[in-house]
Amino acid sequence: MRRIADSTVRRLSLYLSALEAFEAQGMTTVSSAALATRGGTTSAQVRKDLSFFGSFGKRGLGYASAELAARLRDILGLKRAYRLAFVGAGKMASALVNYRGFDQRGFHIQAVYDTDPSVIGQTWNGVTVRNAKQMVGDLKGNPVDIGVIVTPADAAQGVTDQLVQAGVKAILNFAPAPIMAPPDVSVKSVNLTLELEALSYALSNR
Amino acid sequence: MRRIADSTVRRLSLYLSALEAFEAQGMTTVSSAALATRGGTTSAQVRKDLSFFGSFGKRGLGYASAELAARLRDILGLKRAYRLAFVGAGKMASALVNYRGFDQRGFHIQAVYDTDPSVIGQTWNGVTVRNAKQMVGDLKGNPVDIGVIVTPADAAQGVTDQLVQAGVKAILNFAPAPIMAPPDVSVKSVNLTLELEALSYALSNR
DNA sequence: GGATGTGAATGTCTTCACAGCT
DNA sequence: AGCTGTGAAGACATTCACATCC
């Protein structure tokens, strides 16, 4: 299969959520123009994105919602469940762990780690916070698919290295610092400061 | 000034945080190669990014850390403070409002709104949660620079419309739904589900 | 020598526009 | 007629490579 750009994959995810909304409204068929409006792009972009994976639209009609949604779930690898480990048990981690949306979408939190003795042992949403020292050992016996880093900036690279050592192949980084991982490990970063600074730039240039 | 791509602006923000780390280590001068390593890019990219705004490096030496940092803060509009209003007072909002990093970087939370009577009146980090019905009126008399949406998906567009009506020109959206705003309003979205789905895609294609 | 600044070349993504199905 | 699928064109972003300066 040809390599698909990250921006394309992100749009596919948006199309899927749009499709779910359309299905909930009882629309059994949907046009590229409708998907474009909800995905914040153009109809040509939608068609091009989908055409990478074959042609499952009907000319003159559009796409069958349920069928396309199933295909997108397949492409995105969402037909299986994923296990997550959180590293860092601060307020942000607590908010994320208690968010029901992850579980609903098949992302199950298996473990939470921290170094602070005052939070180790607490139970969040059914998951007990464990000592970070046990992480690598735990994950070797009981692997997870995705590691979520929610530590302060200065701990992020060390945690990354440990996750890599434990065999984790995907990392979601919320720490306000870029992290480096080997090429076979996928990393996505969410940097709130960076988003605010991008808005700051936009506000001061108009 | 020439239009600068969003990706460039985001890298400038990374360079700034790298510079701050270098300065903290006492390095008074820094090369494009060093910035590239910490920013996850190449030295040519760093030089090209910076050259949009003039040439403030010294050939053979690199860039003066403090001077470049000041220039980046200027470019990014970070020499002033910004006022934020949060809409939605759930766990995620609570975690964000209690995060000290925003204040430190000049992003001050001025108000928090919700519709749930059981949270209205609570005080978080010195800010009292107010009734969302009062938002537009409040903001007209007491404007904010950036609105932060932390509501469920189905409320996001309605809140966006209200923020726009109240004259807000920048929005940071954490709700798991795309939102539409007029072109003079800058929008950045952070969609956790989307990030996890992008990792799912990466995991299932290797 | 060492690192910047920058045109040129390359690569990637998006938009256009229209032929081809239904 | 309506909407998809897709080559071609265009816009945009990144990388190369080297002259230039400290």
PDB file of all heavy atoms in Angstrom, chain A residues 87-118:
ATOM      1  N   VAL A  87       1.475   7.522  31.964  1.00  0.00           N
ATOM      2  CA  VAL A  87       2.614   7.800  32.825  1.00  0.00           C
ATOM      3  C   VAL A  87       2.494   9.239  33.295  1.00  0.00           C
ATOM      4  O   VAL A  87       2.490  10.172  32.486  1.00  0.00           O
ATOM      5  CB  VAL A  87       3.953   7.604  32.101  1.00  0.00           C
ATOM      6  CG1 VAL A  87       5.080   7.562  33.114  1.00  0.00           C
ATOM      7  CG2 VAL A  87       3.926   6.337  31.265  1.00  0.00           C
ATOM      8  N   GLY A  88       2.402   9.396  34.617  1.00  0.00           N
ATOM      9  CA  GLY A  88       2.142  10.710  35.184  1.00  0.00           C
ATOM     10  C   GLY A  88       0.717  10.706  35.695  1.00  0.00           C
ATOM     11  O   GLY A  88      -0.203  10.378  34.959  1.00  0.00           O
ATOM     12  N   ALA A  89       0.528  11.031  36.963  1.00  0.00           N
ATOM     13  CA  ALA A  89      -0.809  10.956  37.542  1.00  0.00           C
ATOM     14  C   ALA A  89      -1.186  12.286  38.162  1.00  0.00           C
ATOM     15  O   ALA A  89      -1.663  12.363  39.292  1.00  0.00           O
ATOM     16  CB  ALA A  89      -0.869   9.820  38.571  1.00  0.00           C
ATOM     17  N   GLY A  90      -0.973  13.350  37.419  1.00  0.00           N
ATOM     18  CA  GLY A  90      -1.370  14.683  37.872  1.00  0.00           C
ATOM     19  C   GLY A  90      -2.811  14.954  37.493  1.00  0.00           C
ATOM     20  O   GLY A  90      -3.558  14.053  37.123  1.00  0.00           O
ATOM     21  N   LYS A  91      -3.186  16.234  37.547  1.00  0.00           N
ATOM     22  CA  LYS A  91      -4.578  16.600  37.273  1.00  0.00           C
ATOM     23  C   LYS A  91      -4.979  16.287  35.840  1.00  0.00           C
ATOM     24  O   LYS A  91      -6.087  15.824  35.584  1.00  0.00           O
ATOM     25  CB  LYS A  91      -4.770  18.093  37.537  1.00  0.00           C
ATOM     26  CG  LYS A  91      -4.611  18.447  39.008  1.00  0.00           C
ATOM     27  CD  LYS A  91      -5.115  19.854  39.275  1.00  0.00           C
ATOM     28  CE  LYS A  91      -4.880  20.233  40.731  1.00  0.00           C
ATOM     29  NZ  LYS A  91      -3.614  20.961  40.920  1.00  0.00           N
ATOM     30  N   MET A  92      -4.045  16.547  34.931  1.00  0.00           N
ATOM     31  CA  MET A  92      -4.386  16.287  33.528  1.00  0.00           C
ATOM     32  C   MET A  92      -4.615  14.800  33.303  1.00  0.00           C
ATOM     33  O   MET A  92      -5.586  14.400  32.649  1.00  0.00           O
ATOM     34  CB  MET A  92      -3.242  16.787  32.643  1.00  0.00           C
ATOM     35  CG  MET A  92      -3.476  16.566  31.186  1.00  0.00           C
ATOM     36  SD  MET A  92      -4.769  17.632  30.544  1.00  0.00           S
ATOM     37  CE  MET A  92      -3.820  19.140  30.374  1.00  0.00           C
ATOM     38  N   ALA A  93      -3.729  13.982  33.855  1.00  0.00           N
ATOM     39  CA  ALA A  93      -3.905  12.541  33.708  1.00  0.00           C
ATOM     40  C   ALA A  93      -5.229  12.111  34.308  1.00  0.00           C
ATOM     41  O   ALA A  93      -5.968  11.318  33.718  1.00  0.00           O
ATOM     42  CB  ALA A  93      -2.747  11.807  34.381  1.00  0.00           C
ATOM     43  N   SER A  94      -5.546  12.649  35.460  1.00  0.00           N
ATOM     44  CA  SER A  94      -6.795  12.290  36.124  1.00  0.00           C
ATOM     45  C   SER A  94      -7.993  12.618  35.239  1.00  0.00           C
ATOM     46  O   SER A  94      -8.914  11.813  35.084  1.00  0.00           O
ATOM     47  CB  SER A  94      -6.883  13.044  37.451  1.00  0.00           C
ATOM     48  OG  SER A  94      -8.176  12.932  37.980  1.00  0.00           O
ATOM     49  N   ALA A  95      -7.965  13.789  34.637  1.00  0.00           N
ATOM     50  CA  ALA A  95      -9.066  14.184  33.762  1.00  0.00           C
ATOM     51  C   ALA A  95      -9.179  13.219  32.586  1.00  0.00           C
ATOM     52  O   ALA A  95     -10.273  12.793  32.209  1.00  0.00           O
ATOM     53  CB  ALA A  95      -8.847  15.605  33.264  1.00  0.00           C
ATOM     54  N   LEU A  96      -8.052  12.853  32.008  1.00  0.00           N
ATOM     55  CA  LEU A  96      -8.064  11.969  30.839  1.00  0.00           C
ATOM     56  C   LEU A  96      -8.536  10.569  31.221  1.00  0.00           C
ATOM     57  O   LEU A  96      -9.328   9.947  30.513  1.00  0.00           O
ATOM     58  CB  LEU A  96      -6.683  11.908  30.199  1.00  0.00           C
ATOM     59  CG  LEU A  96      -6.191  13.217  29.589  1.00  0.00           C
ATOM     60  CD1 LEU A  96      -4.732  13.084  29.147  1.00  0.00           C
ATOM     61  CD2 LEU A  96      -7.057  13.613  28.401  1.00  0.00           C
ATOM     62  N   VAL A  97      -8.021  10.063  32.353  1.00  0.00           N
ATOM     63  CA  VAL A  97      -8.355   8.702  32.754  1.00  0.00           C
ATOM     64  C   VAL A  97      -9.844   8.595  33.065  1.00  0.00           C
ATOM     65  O   VAL A  97     -10.472   7.569  32.799  1.00  0.00           O
ATOM     66  CB  VAL A  97      -7.501   8.276  33.969  1.00  0.00           C
ATOM     67  CG1 VAL A  97      -8.018   6.981  34.568  1.00  0.00           C
ATOM     68  CG2 VAL A  97      -6.036   8.129  33.558  1.00  0.00           C
ATOM     69  N   ASN A  98     -10.405   9.669  33.595  1.00  0.00           N
ATOM     70  CA  ASN A  98     -11.823   9.633  33.945  1.00  0.00           C
ATOM     71  C   ASN A  98     -12.752   9.980  32.787  1.00  0.00           C
ATOM     72  O   ASN A  98     -13.963   9.980  32.941  1.00  0.00           O
ATOM     73  CB  ASN A  98     -12.077  10.579  35.119  1.00  0.00           C
ATOM     74  CG  ASN A  98     -11.568   9.983  36.419  1.00  0.00           C
ATOM     75  OD1 ASN A  98     -12.068   8.972  36.884  1.00  0.00           O
ATOM     76  ND2 ASN A  98     -10.530  10.592  36.980  1.00  0.00           N
ATOM     77  N   TYR A  99     -12.166  10.286  31.655  1.00  0.00           N
ATOM     78  CA  TYR A  99     -12.971  10.602  30.471  1.00  0.00           C
ATOM     79  C   TYR A  99     -13.495   9.308  29.857  1.00  0.00           C
ATOM     80  O   TYR A  99     -12.725   8.406  29.525  1.00  0.00           O
ATOM     81  CB  TYR A  99     -12.105  11.386  29.472  1.00  0.00           C
ATOM     82  CG  TYR A  99     -12.757  11.658  28.138  1.00  0.00           C
ATOM     83  CD1 TYR A  99     -14.008  12.251  28.057  1.00  0.00           C
ATOM     84  CD2 TYR A  99     -12.101  11.342  26.954  1.00  0.00           C
ATOM     85  CE1 TYR A  99     -14.599  12.513  26.832  1.00  0.00           C
ATOM     86  CE2 TYR A  99     -12.673  11.606  25.716  1.00  0.00           C
ATOM     87  CZ  TYR A  99     -13.931  12.194  25.675  1.00  0.00           C
ATOM     88  OH  TYR A  99     -14.502  12.446  24.460  1.00  0.00           O
ATOM     89  N   ARG A 100     -14.820   9.221  29.719  1.00  0.00           N
ATOM     90  CA  ARG A 100     -15.419   7.962  29.259  1.00  0.00           C
ATOM     91  C   ARG A 100     -15.221   7.709  27.771  1.00  0.00           C
ATOM     92  O   ARG A 100     -15.361   6.592  27.302  1.00  0.00           O
ATOM     93  CB  ARG A 100     -16.932   7.967  29.559  1.00  0.00           C
ATOM     94  CG  ARG A 100     -17.261   8.121  31.028  1.00  0.00           C
ATOM     95  CD  ARG A 100     -17.115   6.783  31.744  1.00  0.00           C
ATOM     96  NE  ARG A 100     -17.139   6.995  33.185  1.00  0.00           N
ATOM     97  CZ  ARG A 100     -16.993   6.020  34.066  1.00  0.00           C
ATOM     98  NH1 ARG A 100     -16.784   4.774  33.667  1.00  0.00           N
ATOM     99  NH2 ARG A 100     -17.006   6.278  35.349  1.00  0.00           N
ATOM    100  N   GLY A 101     -14.953   8.767  27.047  1.00  0.00           N
ATOM    101  CA  GLY A 101     -14.895   8.639  25.592  1.00  0.00           C
ATOM    102  C   GLY A 101     -13.852   7.648  25.093  1.00  0.00           C
ATOM    103  O   GLY A 101     -14.043   6.978  24.084  1.00  0.00           O
ATOM    104  N   PHE A 102     -12.729   7.521  25.805  1.00  0.00           N
ATOM    105  CA  PHE A 102     -11.684   6.611  25.347  1.00  0.00           C
ATOM    106  C   PHE A 102     -12.183   5.171  25.330  1.00  0.00           C
ATOM    107  O   PHE A 102     -12.060   4.467  24.342  1.00  0.00           O
ATOM    108  CB  PHE A 102     -10.447   6.712  26.240  1.00  0.00           C
ATOM    109  CG  PHE A 102      -9.732   8.017  26.132  1.00  0.00           C
ATOM    110  CD1 PHE A 102      -9.001   8.527  27.198  1.00  0.00           C
ATOM    111  CD2 PHE A 102      -9.770   8.756  24.955  1.00  0.00           C
ATOM    112  CE1 PHE A 102      -8.328   9.730  27.094  1.00  0.00           C
ATOM    113  CE2 PHE A 102      -9.099   9.962  24.844  1.00  0.00           C
ATOM    114  CZ  PHE A 102      -8.384  10.446  25.921  1.00  0.00           C
ATOM    115  N   ASP A 103     -12.730   4.772  26.466  1.00  0.00           N
ATOM    116  CA  ASP A 103     -13.221   3.409  26.586  1.00  0.00           C
ATOM    117  C   ASP A 103     -14.271   3.099  25.522  1.00  0.00           C
ATOM    118  O   ASP A 103     -14.242   2.043  24.892  1.00  0.00           O
ATOM    119  CB  ASP A 103     -13.842   3.214  27.977  1.00  0.00           C
ATOM    120  CG  ASP A 103     -13.162   2.080  28.717  1.00  0.00           C
ATOM    121  OD1 ASP A 103     -12.033   2.299  29.190  1.00  0.00           O
ATOM    122  OD2 ASP A 103     -13.752   0.985  28.774  1.00  0.00           O
ATOM    123  N   GLN A 104     -15.158   4.036  25.331  1.00  0.00           N
ATOM    124  CA  GLN A 104     -16.226   3.840  24.342  1.00  0.00           C
ATOM    125  C   GLN A 104     -15.675   3.580  22.952  1.00  0.00           C
ATOM    126  O   GLN A 104     -16.279   2.888  22.148  1.00  0.00           O
ATOM    127  CB  GLN A 104     -17.125   5.092  24.291  1.00  0.00           C
ATOM    128  CG  GLN A 104     -18.083   5.214  25.464  1.00  0.00           C
ATOM    129  CD  GLN A 104     -18.689   6.615  25.549  1.00  0.00           C
ATOM    130  OE1 GLN A 104     -18.556   7.407  24.628  1.00  0.00           O
ATOM    131  NE2 GLN A 104     -19.343   6.895  26.669  1.00  0.00           N
ATOM    132  N   ARG A 105     -14.543   4.180  22.665  1.00  0.00           N
ATOM    133  CA  ARG A 105     -13.974   4.042  21.331  1.00  0.00           C
ATOM    134  C   ARG A 105     -12.948   2.915  21.255  1.00  0.00           C
ATOM    135  O   ARG A 105     -12.228   2.796  20.268  1.00  0.00           O
ATOM    136  CB  ARG A 105     -13.347   5.359  20.876  1.00  0.00           C
ATOM    137  CG  ARG A 105     -14.394   6.404  20.582  1.00  0.00           C
ATOM    138  CD  ARG A 105     -13.875   7.425  19.586  1.00  0.00           C
ATOM    139  NE  ARG A 105     -14.939   7.977  18.771  1.00  0.00           N
ATOM    140  CZ  ARG A 105     -15.109   7.704  17.481  1.00  0.00           C
ATOM    141  NH1 ARG A 105     -14.291   6.903  16.849  1.00  0.00           N
ATOM    142  NH2 ARG A 105     -16.097   8.251  16.800  1.00  0.00           N
ATOM    143  N   GLY A 106     -12.865   2.120  22.307  1.00  0.00           N
ATOM    144  CA  GLY A 106     -11.987   0.957  22.242  1.00  0.00           C
ATOM    145  C   GLY A 106     -10.573   1.193  22.735  1.00  0.00           C
ATOM    146  O   GLY A 106      -9.691   0.366  22.508  1.00  0.00           O
ATOM    147  N   PHE A 107     -10.347   2.328  23.404  1.00  0.00           N
ATOM    148  CA  PHE A 107      -9.028   2.590  23.972  1.00  0.00           C
ATOM    149  C   PHE A 107      -9.120   2.408  25.484  1.00  0.00           C
ATOM    150  O   PHE A 107      -9.654   3.265  26.194  1.00  0.00           O
ATOM    151  CB  PHE A 107      -8.555   4.003  23.609  1.00  0.00           C
ATOM    152  CG  PHE A 107      -8.339   4.196  22.132  1.00  0.00           C
ATOM    153  CD1 PHE A 107      -9.335   4.724  21.318  1.00  0.00           C
ATOM    154  CD2 PHE A 107      -7.140   3.816  21.542  1.00  0.00           C
ATOM    155  CE1 PHE A 107      -9.137   4.876  19.942  1.00  0.00           C
ATOM    156  CE2 PHE A 107      -6.936   3.966  20.174  1.00  0.00           C
ATOM    157  CZ  PHE A 107      -7.928   4.496  19.374  1.00  0.00           C
ATOM    158  N   HIS A 108      -8.638   1.260  25.959  1.00  0.00           N
ATOM    159  CA  HIS A 108      -8.831   0.893  27.354  1.00  0.00           C
ATOM    160  C   HIS A 108      -7.589   1.187  28.185  1.00  0.00           C
ATOM    161  O   HIS A 108      -6.486   0.754  27.825  1.00  0.00           O
ATOM    162  CB  HIS A 108      -9.181  -0.596  27.457  1.00  0.00           C
ATOM    163  CG  HIS A 108     -10.367  -0.965  26.621  1.00  0.00           C
ATOM    164  ND1 HIS A 108     -11.616  -0.408  26.833  1.00  0.00           N
ATOM    165  CD2 HIS A 108     -10.504  -1.793  25.562  1.00  0.00           C
ATOM    166  CE1 HIS A 108     -12.463  -0.900  25.942  1.00  0.00           C
ATOM    167  NE2 HIS A 108     -11.814  -1.737  25.154  1.00  0.00           N
ATOM    168  N   ILE A 109      -7.788   1.871  29.288  1.00  0.00           N
ATOM    169  CA  ILE A 109      -6.659   2.211  30.140  1.00  0.00           C
ATOM    170  C   ILE A 109      -6.349   1.035  31.046  1.00  0.00           C
ATOM    171  O   ILE A 109      -7.171   0.611  31.860  1.00  0.00           O
ATOM    172  CB  ILE A 109      -6.958   3.476  30.960  1.00  0.00           C
ATOM    173  CG1 ILE A 109      -7.149   4.643  29.983  1.00  0.00           C
ATOM    174  CG2 ILE A 109      -5.815   3.766  31.928  1.00  0.00           C
ATOM    175  CD1 ILE A 109      -7.760   5.866  30.593  1.00  0.00           C
ATOM    176  N   GLN A 110      -5.148   0.506  30.890  1.00  0.00           N
ATOM    177  CA  GLN A 110      -4.773  -0.699  31.616  1.00  0.00           C
ATOM    178  C   GLN A 110      -3.966  -0.379  32.865  1.00  0.00           C
ATOM    179  O   GLN A 110      -3.996  -1.125  33.842  1.00  0.00           O
ATOM    180  CB  GLN A 110      -3.950  -1.607  30.694  1.00  0.00           C
ATOM    181  CG  GLN A 110      -3.478  -2.871  31.342  1.00  0.00           C
ATOM    182  CD  GLN A 110      -2.788  -3.763  30.322  1.00  0.00           C
ATOM    183  OE1 GLN A 110      -3.393  -4.238  29.364  1.00  0.00           O
ATOM    184  NE2 GLN A 110      -1.492  -3.956  30.497  1.00  0.00           N
ATOM    185  N   ALA A 111      -3.215   0.726  32.804  1.00  0.00           N
ATOM    186  CA  ALA A 111      -2.362   1.039  33.946  1.00  0.00           C
ATOM    187  C   ALA A 111      -2.052   2.522  33.991  1.00  0.00           C
ATOM    188  O   ALA A 111      -2.061   3.205  32.970  1.00  0.00           O
ATOM    189  CB  ALA A 111      -1.054   0.245  33.853  1.00  0.00           C
ATOM    190  N   VAL A 112      -1.783   3.006  35.222  1.00  0.00           N
ATOM    191  CA  VAL A 112      -1.362   4.392  35.421  1.00  0.00           C
ATOM    192  C   VAL A 112      -0.153   4.363  36.345  1.00  0.00           C
ATOM    193  O   VAL A 112      -0.159   3.648  37.351  1.00  0.00           O
ATOM    194  CB  VAL A 112      -2.489   5.237  36.070  1.00  0.00           C
ATOM    195  CG1 VAL A 112      -2.026   6.670  36.307  1.00  0.00           C
ATOM    196  CG2 VAL A 112      -3.750   5.219  35.215  1.00  0.00           C
ATOM    197  N   TYR A 113       0.884   5.112  35.999  1.00  0.00           N
ATOM    198  CA  TYR A 113       2.118   5.132  36.793  1.00  0.00           C
ATOM    199  C   TYR A 113       2.470   6.541  37.236  1.00  0.00           C
ATOM    200  O   TYR A 113       2.214   7.509  36.516  1.00  0.00           O
ATOM    201  CB  TYR A 113       3.289   4.568  35.975  1.00  0.00           C
ATOM    202  CG  TYR A 113       3.100   3.115  35.626  1.00  0.00           C
ATOM    203  CD1 TYR A 113       2.565   2.741  34.397  1.00  0.00           C
ATOM    204  CD2 TYR A 113       3.406   2.129  36.549  1.00  0.00           C
ATOM    205  CE1 TYR A 113       2.361   1.403  34.089  1.00  0.00           C
ATOM    206  CE2 TYR A 113       3.203   0.788  36.258  1.00  0.00           C
ATOM    207  CZ  TYR A 113       2.681   0.430  35.030  1.00  0.00           C
ATOM    208  OH  TYR A 113       2.474  -0.888  34.741  1.00  0.00           O
ATOM    209  N   ASP A 114       3.069   6.626  38.427  1.00  0.00           N
ATOM    210  CA  ASP A 114       3.603   7.910  38.878  1.00  0.00           C
ATOM    211  C   ASP A 114       4.747   7.637  39.852  1.00  0.00           C
ATOM    212  O   ASP A 114       4.956   6.500  40.282  1.00  0.00           O
ATOM    213  CB  ASP A 114       2.517   8.758  39.547  1.00  0.00           C
ATOM    214  CG  ASP A 114       2.845  10.253  39.482  1.00  0.00           C
ATOM    215  OD1 ASP A 114       4.019  10.627  39.704  1.00  0.00           O
ATOM    216  OD2 ASP A 114       1.953  11.058  39.206  1.00  0.00           O
ATOM    217  N   THR A 115       5.482   8.708  40.179  1.00  0.00           N
ATOM    218  CA  THR A 115       6.582   8.563  41.133  1.00  0.00           C
ATOM    219  C   THR A 115       6.200   9.107  42.504  1.00  0.00           C
ATOM    220  O   THR A 115       6.908   8.867  43.481  1.00  0.00           O
ATOM    221  CB  THR A 115       7.821   9.358  40.655  1.00  0.00           C
ATOM    222  OG1 THR A 115       7.415  10.698  40.369  1.00  0.00           O
ATOM    223  CG2 THR A 115       8.413   8.739  39.399  1.00  0.00           C
ATOM    224  N   ASP A 116       5.095   9.844  42.560  1.00  0.00           N
ATOM    225  CA  ASP A 116       4.716  10.511  43.803  1.00  0.00           C
ATOM    226  C   ASP A 116       4.010   9.537  44.753  1.00  0.00           C
ATOM    227  O   ASP A 116       2.925   9.046  44.453  1.00  0.00           O
ATOM    228  CB  ASP A 116       3.788  11.674  43.447  1.00  0.00           C
ATOM    229  CG  ASP A 116       3.305  12.432  44.675  1.00  0.00           C
ATOM    230  OD1 ASP A 116       3.581  11.985  45.811  1.00  0.00           O
ATOM    231  OD2 ASP A 116       2.647  13.459  44.491  1.00  0.00           O
ATOM    232  N   PRO A 117       4.634   9.260  45.935  1.00  0.00           N
ATOM    233  CA  PRO A 117       4.059   8.286  46.870  1.00  0.00           C
ATOM    234  C   PRO A 117       2.639   8.638  47.300  1.00  0.00           C
ATOM    235  O   PRO A 117       1.854   7.742  47.649  1.00  0.00           O
ATOM    236  CB  PRO A 117       5.003   8.366  48.090  1.00  0.00           C
ATOM    237  CG  PRO A 117       6.233   9.014  47.600  1.00  0.00           C
ATOM    238  CD  PRO A 117       5.863   9.884  46.438  1.00  0.00           C
ATOM    239  N   SER A 118       2.289   9.922  47.257  1.00  0.00           N
ATOM    240  CA  SER A 118       0.962  10.297  47.738  1.00  0.00           C
ATOM    241  C   SER A 118      -0.159   9.958  46.755  1.00  0.00           C
ATOM    242  O   SER A 118      -1.332   9.959  47.114  1.00  0.00           O
ATOM    243  CB  SER A 118       0.919  11.788  48.093  1.00  0.00           C
ATOM    244  OG  SER A 118       0.975  12.564  46.916  1.00  0.00           O
TER     245      SER A 118
END
